Amino acid sequence: MSASADVPSESSEEALLSMPATAWAVLGTLSFGEGLSGYDIKTWADWSLNYFYWSPSFSQVYSELKRLEKHGFVESGDGGGGARNRRVYSITPAGLAALRRWARESEVDRPVLKHPTMLHLWLGHLSDPAQLKEMVREHIAQMTALRDGAAERAQNARREPSWAYTRIVMEWSRRHYDSEIALAQELLGQIDVAGARFDSAAKQEGTGLPIPLDPGRWKSRD
């Protein structure tokens, strides 16, 4: 491999501008020095990326690998062994150079928060406090499982010096889910207050509420 392979080509420059973050994340799983199959990449993503970014489907993983191979950022070969043929992907020098540049120079985007529980709560006027609180409790259970999983990953990462940065990300993830749990627990009391206020307002005429009150929907607070 010539030294010029370490310098991003014109194709690499185009990729730096056009490739989505998901592609760089997939490429990043190959930057720890191991050749991985698509299945391995999916497993690693579920093990770590899932706690702070996203959990890709197998189709996403293979779609991004195809894109990366087209740009010359990965190369693949027969992994051999076993009854099933495994295609193993490795990062190329050009891919490592492009990934290093993306990691250093790409803009820090605003996180996109898509919070289904908050969407349900935003539509609380179409539900009732008891149902909303049950949804929040389910959300707390999910966040607790994620917090515990992130804590376990952080502990496991202590064993491997090359995972030093993975460890601090997993510890950040644990603290993030702790905060999410605390915020959700606060909601349980706030829902009762909001429900009482909405119920009171809905009994007044001309309030401009988005829907008419169903008198039998909530238990009377009189």
Side-chain angles (χ1 to χ4, degrees), residues 164-183:
Y165 290 103
T166 299
R167 176 186 170 188
I168 65 173
V169 170
M170 290 298 101
E171 289 176 341
W172 175 89
S173 298
R174 176 190 58 77
R175 296 193 301 272
H176 169 79
Y177 292 119
D178 260 337
S179 298
E180 183 74 15
I181 290 166
L183 289 171

Side-chain angles (χ1 to χ4, degrees), residues 1 16 29 47-48 52 59 65 77 80 126 139 163 174 200 209-210:
M1 188 75 66
L16 286 169
T29 63
W47 190 91
S48 60
F52 62 90
S59 62
L65 285 171
L126 302 174
H139 172 64
W163 292 351
R174 176 190 58 77
S200 175
L209 292 171

